[in-house]
């Protein structure tokens, strides 16, 4: 018996709707309204690179152009409505989800103890008690406040002195919480002074089965359809095998349906969806034709393989690629218009010169870069200027490149 089929255009619509990219980007962007956006996305990845704006700021701006970084800082550091931990990378997460991270903290405690000993090649365990007592006595600290008498390496950010490693370990395993950042440097405090007591009490912690159920159910709600591997990767708490077990049990109980998703090239790939997927209004909702600049770390693009299948958009961030070997550029931004990824743009904010300089733009194959699309780009870049901290846009000679 053949499976039900979701055509590519409808699949894109549903996927973009789940990532808050199918409606008009408008509305309030602070306080409870901003928290609602983050809750709907599940989390927002943090990243320090600031060629135009930091990843978390651009992710939120793409959905609410009235957003400004101060609103996120207030939610995080003053209102304590968010906490910071890891999904697939460092992220800010609604505080109400804190109990669901207990399994992650337990697994990190065991995994990192082994891994970091081999990685850093020092005995950071010997510093755990003293670092914890220092935080208890002094209050919030950064990595530069601990281990002041320990030798500092000039090898790079990945080479940590023992007390910095201890600090990170205490955070990842749950004894400490991050209360904010100075620049991009984390400040840590005791968890009981940061996370509301009802959320970090042991009685509220979920067992492994409950965590797997929450992770898969909530990931599917934010993806619309997914394979077990995609469900496992969403929060990065659980294994693909655990997600597959959940899918099979839900499918057997009639709470999941297996359907075929049509890719951008016409190929079919099975995925799981809730049984009411065919009545979702998003399947018939055409996204606005407004052009949006997306962060390379936008949740809609985090899974590069999924983006390639669904949108035919093959993207690789080239930050760690030697300059001579880059195909596009150091930090190139995808461009979304309607339900299509129409190109990628290399640009940077030169704040001393007060300009956003577009170095290159590559349309996707089959996309004509005509007058109307250029007007849409220029309008979006103008909207982006306040977030980038500059007041004008300029284009380098030869900026419009051949389609890729």
């Amino acid at each position: 018996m053949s499976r039900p089929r979701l055509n590519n255009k409808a699949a894109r619509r549903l996927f973009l709707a789940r990532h808050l990219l199918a409606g008009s980007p408008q509305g309030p962007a602070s306080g409870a309204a901003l928290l609602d956006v983050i809750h709907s996305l599940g989390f927002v990845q943090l990243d320090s690179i600031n060629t135009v704006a930091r990843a978390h700021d651009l992710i939120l701006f793409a959905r609410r152009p009235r957003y400004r970084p101060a609103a996120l800082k207030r939610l995080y550091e003053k209102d304590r409505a968010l906490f910071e931990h890891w999904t697939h990378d460092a992220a800010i997460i609604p505080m109400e989800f804190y109990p669901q991270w207990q399994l992650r903290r337990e697994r990190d405690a065991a995994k990192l103890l082994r891994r970091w000993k081999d990685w850093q090649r020092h005995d950071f365990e010997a510093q755990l008690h003293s670092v914890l007592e220092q935080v208890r006595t002094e209050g919030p600290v950064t990595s530069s406040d601990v281990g002041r008498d320990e030798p500092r390496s000039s090898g790079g950010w990945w080479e940590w002195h023992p007390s910095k490693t201890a600090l990170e370990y205490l955070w990842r395993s749950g004894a400490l919480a991050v209360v904010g950042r100075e620049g991009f440097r984390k400040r840590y405090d005791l968890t009981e002074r940061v996370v509301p007591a009802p959320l970090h009490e042991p009685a509220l912690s979920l067992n492994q089965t409950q965590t797997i159920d929450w992770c898969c159910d909530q990931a599917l709600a934010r993806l619309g359809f997914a394979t077990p591997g995609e469900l496992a990767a969403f929060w990065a708490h659980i294994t693909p095998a655990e997600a597959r077990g959940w899918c099979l049990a839900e499918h057997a109980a009639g709470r999941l349906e297996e359907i075929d998703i049509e890719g951008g090239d016409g190929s079919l790939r099975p995925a799981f969806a809730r049984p009411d997927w065919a009545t979702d209004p998003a399947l018939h909702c055409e996204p606005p034709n407004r052009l949006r600049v997306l962060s390379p770390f936008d949740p809609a693009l985090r899974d590069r393989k999924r983006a390639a299948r669904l949108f035919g958009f093959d993207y690789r961030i080239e930050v760690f690629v030697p300059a001579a070997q880059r195909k596009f550029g150091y930090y190139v931004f995808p461009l979304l218009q309607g339900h299509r990824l129409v190109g990628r743009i290399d640009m940077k904010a030169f704040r001393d010169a007060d300009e956003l300089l577009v170095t290159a733009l590559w349309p996707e194959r089959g996309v004509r870069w005509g007058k109307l699309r250029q007007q849409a780009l220029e309008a979006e870049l103008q909207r982006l200027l306040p977030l980038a901290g500059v007041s004008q846009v300029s284009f380098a000679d030869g900026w419009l490149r051949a389609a890729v």
Side-chain angles (χ1 to χ4, degrees):
M1 182 178 176
S2 62
R3 287 183 289 261
R5 177 175 173 177
L6 182 59
N7 71 63
N8 181 249
K9 191 172 184 179
R12 293 186 192 195
R13 288 170 173 169
L14 178 58
F15 185 70
L16 291 173
R18 290 292 192 274
H19 288 82
L20 306 184
L21 292 170
S24 296
Q26 59 187 4
S30 61
L34 182 61
L35 184 58
D36 284 346
V37 171
I38 299 170
H39 188 282
S40 294
L41 294 174
F43 62 89
V44 174
Q45 182 175 338
L46 295 168
D47 192 74
S48 62
I49 297 174
N50 194 13
T51 56
V52 173
R54 288 192 166 122
H56 43 283
D57 294 324
L58 192 53
I59 289 167
L60 296 169
F61 176 87
R63 290 148 177 89
R64 296 290 175 92
R66 288 162 60 179
Y67 166 80
R68 296 295 180 269
L72 182 63
K73 186 177 180 67
R74 187 161 51 249
L75 267 185
Y76 182 15
E77 299 184 13
K78 182 180 179 182
D79 299 343
R80 300 283 170 85
L82 303 166
F83 75 99
E84 183 175 337
H85 212 272
W86 276 63
T87 53
H88 61 286
D89 211 320
I92 44 171
I93 306 149
M95 184 64 82
E96 67 182 90
F97 294 171
Y98 189 83
Q100 279 77 22
W101 257 250
Q102 181 58 28
L103 180 63
R104 177 62 180 263
R105 292 188 289 269
E106 290 173 357
R107 289 181 170 179
D108 278 358
K111 177 180 67 177
L112 298 179
L113 196 61
R114 298 188 303 269
R115 180 181 296 174
W116 286 0
K117 279 183 180 179
D118 294 336
W119 175 38
Q120 296 295 342
R121 299 192 180 281
H122 54 54
D123 185 16
F124 73 89
E125 282 183 273
Q127 305 303 320
L128 291 175
H129 178 74
S130 62
V131 168
L132 192 60
E133 286 307 303
Q134 181 179 348
V135 176
R136 192 181 306 280
T137 302
E138 298 181 8
V141 301
T142 69
S143 59
S144 63
D145 297 321
V146 297
R148 296 186 182 97
D149 58 345
E150 295 171 9
R152 285 343 195 225
S153 169
S154 59
W157 62 267
W158 56 88
E159 292 193 19
W160 300 346
H161 56 81
S163 291
K164 174 178 170 58
T165 309
L167 193 63
E168 284 284 308
Y169 181 83
L170 289 165
W171 166 52
R172 295 283 293 272
S173 56
L176 299 181
V178 176
V179 295
R181 289 177 178 255
E182 296 173 0
F184 211 69
R185 178 179 292 174
K186 294 190 289 288
R187 289 185 294 114
Y188 308 77
D189 201 354
L190 298 179
T191 296
E192 59 262 34
R193 296 200 291 232
V194 179
V195 178
L199 295 179
H200 69 75
E201 290 175 349
L204 277 186
S205 298
L206 305 183
N207 61 37
Q208 181 171 309
T209 300
Q210 291 171 318
T211 300
I212 292 170
D213 180 71
W214 184 90
C215 285
C216 292
D217 177 68
Q218 292 297 309
L220 186 59
R222 289 167 174 82
L223 293 172
F225 51 86
T227 66
E230 289 167 345
L231 293 178
F234 188 86
W235 307 104
H237 287 8
I238 63 175
T239 68
E242 289 169 337
R244 175 165 291 281
W246 180 86
C247 287
L248 294 177
E250 290 288 290
H251 185 262
R255 292 188 291 268
L256 280 186
E257 184 175 359
E258 195 168 19
I259 63 176
D260 280 332
I261 308 299
E262 183 184 21
D265 61 358
S267 63
L268 299 179
R269 181 181 176 90
F272 289 100
R274 290 300 186 188
D276 61 353
W277 66 269
T279 62
D280 195 308
L283 297 176
H284 310 287
C285 181
E286 188 69 17
N289 203 43
R290 176 169 172 164
L291 190 145
R292 305 188 218 206
V293 174
L294 299 184
S295 164
F297 301 111
D298 194 280
L301 299 172
R302 182 198 61 78
D303 187 332
R304 309 293 193 212
K305 292 181 180 179
R306 184 176 178 132
R309 285 197 312 271
L310 198 57
F311 297 96
F313 188 74
D314 186 11
Y315 182 84
R316 178 190 183 194
I317 193 164
E318 298 182 297
V319 168
F320 299 110
V321 176
Q325 298 174 26
R326 290 176 190 146
K327 183 177 180 181
F328 298 107
Y330 172 78
Y331 199 82
V332 173
F333 301 87
L335 299 174
L336 176 71
Q337 189 173 32
H339 63 80
R340 301 175 67 189
L341 286 157
V342 297
R344 59 197 82 199
I345 186 170
D346 188 11
M347 58 183 177
K348 183 176 181 178
F350 290 90
R351 295 174 180 93
D352 291 345
D354 194 31
E355 72 170 2
L356 178 62
L357 176 63
V358 175
T359 305
L361 186 150
W362 296 265
E364 286 295 287
R365 187 176 290 107
V367 172
R368 180 178 175 272
W369 204 267
K371 180 179 179 181
L372 291 180
R373 189 160 276 130
Q374 178 63 19
Q375 289 174 349
L377 171 67
E378 291 176 5
E380 177 69 357
L381 295 181
Q382 287 294 322
R383 288 187 286 265
L384 194 57
L385 291 178
L387 190 69
V390 296
S391 65
Q392 58 190 334
V393 179
S394 60
F395 292 80
D397 292 341
W399 64 273
L400 186 56
R401 307 294 176 84
V404 295

